[in-house]
């Protein structure tokens, strides 16, 4: 007995099969085009990093441009920057600034976002928009008044001007976490109130785990901003320089010599903590993009 392949019995079934094949073919084409565009975009994004690594291996600053990418492999440049620059001191000062600022500041920002999103009080919206309006004030406008304030407090040439304002929270983090909290049901808070818990206990036990993805995503962005900040440490804490201030000392404004190859090596070394933080919080960042909040 010979096997027979079942054929569509009606014209409607044939049309449905043709449409299904057409949809699959179109989806395959869209996926291929999307992957090609994403791969091309990724290569474009990686090119500056590749150029930095190549430049960091050059023999001197005069061979950075106008030559092949990897025509030299002078890994001794990395040893040179540790001899010429006090990178260990810069790392230590940067860590002292970043750790309390990010950890305490993120917690305070989460508390503020919870208050603006879930607690009813007078002038809540007005206070929130007033707080948000301060984002539109550029730092150069307030840096001179801040300098006089820190001078009166005898904080200049210390790390306090870089730490104290940041542990009080980050406005953009408050905004994004408040928006994220909109997807958290009020029934969670009501259940905590029924059990006799106060707002601090509700936040620590119920809300904080729920907002951790959004908090982690904003944390890494804030970490990058603080770690790479140059102007504020240069103005307020030149006596205790952070890593960007120390790296910038390689550039001379009074001489034609600019140690570009060493600058690139030092910059790559300073990127390592950011890569580590991103690797640790990668899952939370992806979750925050999805914004998969709790449901009723």
């Amino acid at each position: 007995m010979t096997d027979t392949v079942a054929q569509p019995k009606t014209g409607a079934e044939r049309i449905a099969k043709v449409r299904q094949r057409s949809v699959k073919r179109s989806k395959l084409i869209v996926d291929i085009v999307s992957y090609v565009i994403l791969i091309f975009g990724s290569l474009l994004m990686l090119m500056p990093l590749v150029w930095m690594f190549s430049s960091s291996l050059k023999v001197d600053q005069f061979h950075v441009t106008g030559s092949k990418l990897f025509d030299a492999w002078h890994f001794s440049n990395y040893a040179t920057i540790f001899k010429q620059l006090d990178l260990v001191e810069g790392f230590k000062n940067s860590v002292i600034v970043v750790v309390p600022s990010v950890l305490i500041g993120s917690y305070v920002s989460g508390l503020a976002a919870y208050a603006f999103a879930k607690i009813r009080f007078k002038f809540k919206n007005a206070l929130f928009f007033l707080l948000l309006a301060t984002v539109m004030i550029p730092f150069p406008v307030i840096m001179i008044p801040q300098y006089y304030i820190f001078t009166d407090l005898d904080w200049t040439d210390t790390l306090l001007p870089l730490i104290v304002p940041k542990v009080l929270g980050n406005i953009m983090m408050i905004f994004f976490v408040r928006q994220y909290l909109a997807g958290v049901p009020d029934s969670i808070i009501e259940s905590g109130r029924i059990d006799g818990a106060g707002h601090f206990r509700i936040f620590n036990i119920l809300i904080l785990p729920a907002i951790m993805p959004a908090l982690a995503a904003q944390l890494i962005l804030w970490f990058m901003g603080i770690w790479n900040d140059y102007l504020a440490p240069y103005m307020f804490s030149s006596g205790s320089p952070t890593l960007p201030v120390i790296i910038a000392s390689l550039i001379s404004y009074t001489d034609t010599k600019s140690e570009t190859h060493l600058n690139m090596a030092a910059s790559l070394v300073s990127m390592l903590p950011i890569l580590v933080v991103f690797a640790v919080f990668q899952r939370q960042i992806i979750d925050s993009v999805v914004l998969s909040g709790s449901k009723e």
Side-chain angles (χ1 to χ4, degrees):
M1 180 181 294
T2 58
D3 295 333
T4 58
V5 179
Q7 298 293 332
K9 296 181 179 181
T10 64
E13 291 179 352
R14 293 192 185 96
I15 294 174
K17 276 205 166 186
V18 171
R19 286 180 178 175
Q20 187 177 8
R21 291 171 185 166
S22 177
V23 169
K24 289 183 178 179
R25 192 180 300 113
S26 300
K27 186 178 182 301
L28 179 61
I29 294 173
V30 170
D31 290 343
I32 292 174
V33 173
S34 299
Y35 279 115
V36 169
I37 293 174
L38 290 173
I39 291 172
F40 180 71
S42 301
L43 293 176
L44 287 179
M45 296 289 288
L46 286 173
M47 277 307 298
L49 187 62
V50 174
W51 182 85
M52 283 181 62
F53 180 61
S54 171
S55 300
S56 69
L57 301 177
K58 302 295 184 181
V59 62
D60 56 43
Q61 69 273 12
F62 301 109
H63 291 80
V64 170
T65 59
S67 59
K68 296 179 181 179
L69 275 178
F70 294 100
D71 59 347
W73 298 87
H74 293 272
F75 287 98
S76 59
N77 291 341
Y78 288 89
T80 302
I81 60 174
F82 279 93
K83 293 177 181 178
Q84 291 190 5
L85 303 173
D86 196 356
L87 292 182
V88 176
E89 179 71 14
F91 264 106
K92 185 189 74 173
N93 291 334
S94 292
V95 169
I96 292 173
V97 171
V98 165
V99 172
S101 299
V102 169
L103 295 183
I104 301 176
S106 297
Y107 180 78
V108 173
S109 299
L111 277 174
Y114 167 71
F116 281 118
K118 298 299 183 181
I119 300 177
R120 295 180 181 178
F121 56 90
K122 287 185 177 181
F123 310 114
K124 179 176 74 172
N125 292 331
L127 287 174
F128 177 73
F129 285 115
L130 182 62
L131 183 70
L132 201 60
T134 60
V135 178
M136 294 181 283
I137 303 175
F139 177 70
V141 173
I142 62 174
M143 64 182 183
I144 301 301
Q146 281 188 348
Y147 183 81
Y148 281 110
I149 292 173
F150 295 145
T151 301
D152 291 338
L153 294 172
D154 199 21
W155 284 4
T156 53
D157 292 336
T158 69
L159 296 176
L160 289 176
L162 307 179
I163 299 174
V164 175
K166 293 181 177 63
V167 299
L168 300 178
N170 178 274
I171 297 173
M172 294 308 299
M173 183 179 289
I174 295 172
F175 171 75
F176 282 108
V177 175
R178 175 183 177 270
Q179 299 303 111
Y180 188 88
L181 274 169
V184 177
D186 294 336
S187 59
I188 295 179
I189 301 171
E190 293 171 1
S191 64
R193 299 292 290 175
I194 291 173
D195 292 338
H199 285 296
F200 277 101
R201 188 176 179 185
I202 291 173
F203 176 79
N204 291 326
I205 297 177
L206 301 176
I207 300 299
L208 190 58
I211 65 173
M212 193 56 70
L215 211 58
Q218 293 300 312
L219 183 146
I220 188 174
L221 295 175
W222 197 19
F223 173 87
M224 290 171 58
I226 298 174
W227 187 265
N228 294 324
D229 188 20
Y230 169 76
L231 184 56
Y234 180 76
M235 279 196 61
F236 304 139
S237 305
S238 57
S240 300
T242 57
L243 195 58
V245 177
I246 290 179
I247 293 175
S249 64
L250 281 170
I251 302 175
S252 174
Y253 295 98
T254 59
D255 192 1
T256 56
K257 182 180 180 182
S258 179
E259 303 287 353
T260 306
H261 61 304
L262 298 181
N263 198 313
M264 294 297 103
S267 299
L268 284 173
V269 171
S270 70
M271 287 173 56
L272 295 178
I274 296 177
L275 296 176
V276 171
V277 171
F278 180 81
V280 171
F281 290 100
Q282 184 179 10
R283 180 61 184 175
Q284 286 82 355
I285 294 171
I286 295 173
D287 290 343
S288 71
V289 175
V290 177
L291 293 178
S292 54
S294 301
K295 302 296 181 181
E296 292 280 3

